[in-house]
Amino acid sequence: MHSPIKALTAVRDCFYQDIADRVSARVHKGNVLDIGAGRGILVLKMAEKSPGLKAYGIDISQKAIEAARAIARKAGLADSTHFDAGDACSLPYEDGLFVLAVSTFSLHHWPDAIAGLNEIYRVLEPGGEAWIYDHWRDPSPEARQNLARDFGRLAAWFALFHLRFVSSVMTEERARIILNDPSLKFQEKRLEQCGIFLLLRLKKT
């Protein structure tokens, strides 16, 4: 791997595949949502891995959504995916439509994290979960070592260097402030370390 872009792409693709595998193990039918879907990489992986699911993706960029739709058509996944342009804080979906919602590297961009999470709560069915992943400014030594083991030292260095310069990157302190906000509607809330990323794991009971 000889470039920062290739290094970051390898880490990202492996991470997305891991999430798709986790989704497949967790739910087998119904609708799942990716908030901040970009060009739909995770949505497509979820649709490929879990034929019983309908995978939705939403992103604020109309251009990214158009690209995602085109990629889905080319991959033969147009019927099992659905893409919309829209804002995380005002989701264009009915109450209780989804069994699971996922977001990766998007939360720190939202103008109001609590409003966005409460919108996710609204569109989840009772018992539904939200898995909100974001960049972690200070990954643990173990996470750093595992990254170097899995991808090589150069790729690990590029990935960790990138984290240091992401605007408003997540910290454990910031994540706990969000989870402890009294206006957050989720009944079950916990913070997990997921390699070099943080996971806010939420459940609507």
Side-chain angles (χ1 to χ4, degrees), residues 11 135-165 169-170 172 193-197:
V11 174
H135 300 94
W136 182 12
R137 179 170 291 282
D138 296 303
S140 67
E142 181 182 5
R144 295 168 185 264
Q145 292 168 4
N146 291 341
L147 187 69
R149 179 199 65 202
D150 294 340
F151 297 97
R153 291 185 178 181
L154 184 61
W157 185 88
F158 281 136
L160 293 169
F161 180 81
H162 173 70
L163 288 181
R164 300 299 300 179
F165 290 93
V169 70
M170 190 61 66
E172 286 194 69
Q193 297 176 5
C194 188
I196 62 171
F197 309 106

Side-chain angles (χ1 to χ4, degrees), residues 70-113:
I71 295 169
R73 287 194 298 270
K74 187 175 181 180
L77 293 169
D79 291 339
S80 55
T81 59
H82 180 90
F83 294 97
D84 294 292
D87 185 347
C89 296
S90 182
L91 296 173
Y93 306 115
E94 64 189 71
D95 295 357
L97 180 61
F98 300 101
V99 296
L100 179 69
V102 179
S103 179
T104 59
F105 322 139
S106 174
L107 178 63
H108 64 271
H109 291 300
W110 300 357
D112 187 330

